[in-house]
Amino acid sequence: MSVKQSLIELPLDLDQQRIPAHVAVIMDGNGRWAKNRGFPRIIGHQKGVDALKDLLRCCDDWGIKVLTAYAFSTENWGRPAHEVEFLMTLFERVLRRELEEMMTENVKIRFIGDLTVLPSSLQAQISHSMEKTANNKGIQFNIATNYGSRQEILHACHAIASLVKDNQIQLDDINEELFENHLYTNGLVNPDLLIRTSGEMRLSNFLLWQMAYGEIYVTQTLWPDFNREQFHQALLDYQMRDRRFGKLN
Ligand code: FPP
């Protein structure tokens, strides 16, 4: 993405200087979207992929540097086995199908979450996608898969405790920066804006640490219907917020 392109495509009522650096999204409502149309739930997930692709392209066009999408939570294993299997296969198929286009569009892919328990063919496709796009300089696209914030925080605690135990760091070395460096999102700015579709007002174990001062935008729209215009509205709302980070202006 070039700066010129983002200047051309950004809606005139959005302030280029106040575009969030990092947008996170909870893509909720796929099942309801399908049910409302008399389709099986998996059709909603399929449609959800199209909405995610459009959002990624839109973020790129409008100068957003990082997009993080919640694709599968540590709790989602509790869904019916056929839905879980469908989602795993969908992730793998989409990754394989879209990789060349991601390369053309300079997208850098990172999967966040405990990937070790995913099907091995999906793990291989994930590693391949991350390696292949590692040097891309465009938008950073994070896909949270088997992600749970509590699990991520515990994982960081274990890693840090091991460093202390092995005398590689001292207790006093533990600070916010060191802690963040052990989260799956290490090296990334924290989200400025989290969008949740389908009207639910909770974080659902997503980016609990990272969202300490992130703005939350909830829309009634079901995920497969979330489009550029809806995103535009979310950004307009975000740009009205007075972000004080606990201080006074
Ligand atoms: C939540 O809607 C959605 C999910 C658990 C799956 C989201 C996954 C995608 C959109 C596919 C993304 C693909 C890639 C390759 C990253 P829900 O099923 O909970 O909807 P409901 O609340 O209406 O039942």
Side-chain angles (χ1 to χ4, degrees), residues 184-219:
Y184 297 131
T185 49
N186 66 77
L188 302 175
V189 289
N190 285 322
D192 301 292
L193 170 65
L194 178 138
I195 298 170
R196 181 164 189 158
T197 53
S198 93
E200 313 285 359
M201 299 206 191
R202 49 181 176 265
L203 284 176
S204 296
N205 204 11
F206 190 43
L207 303 174
L208 300 183
W209 171 287
Q210 296 88 337
M211 277 296 293
Y213 281 99
E215 298 293 324
I216 300 177
Y217 176 85
V218 174
T219 169

Side-chain angles (χ1 to χ4, degrees), residues 26-34 41 44-52 69-73 76 79 83 87 90-95 98 111 141-145 196 198 200 222-223:
I26 301 181
M27 308 179 284
D28 203 4
N30 292 346
R32 274 164 284 170
W33 184 93
R41 292 173 53 81
H45 296 315
Q46 251 163 1
K47 277 287 181 191
V49 173
D50 297 339
L52 182 57
Y70 204 5
F72 194 88
S73 75
N76 285 153
R79 293 187 174 214
E83 184 169 338
L87 282 169
L90 180 72
F91 298 153
E92 194 177 328
R93 207 175 56 221
V94 170
L95 266 186
E98 303 296 332
F111 274 76
F141 180 35
N142 303 317
I143 305 161
T145 309
R196 181 164 189 158
S198 93
E200 313 285 359
L222 304 178
W223 176 252

Side-chain angles (χ1 to χ4, degrees), residues 4 21 73 102 131 149 200:
K4 194 165 164 245
S73 75
M102 299 275 184
E131 279 158 26
S149 209
E200 313 285 359

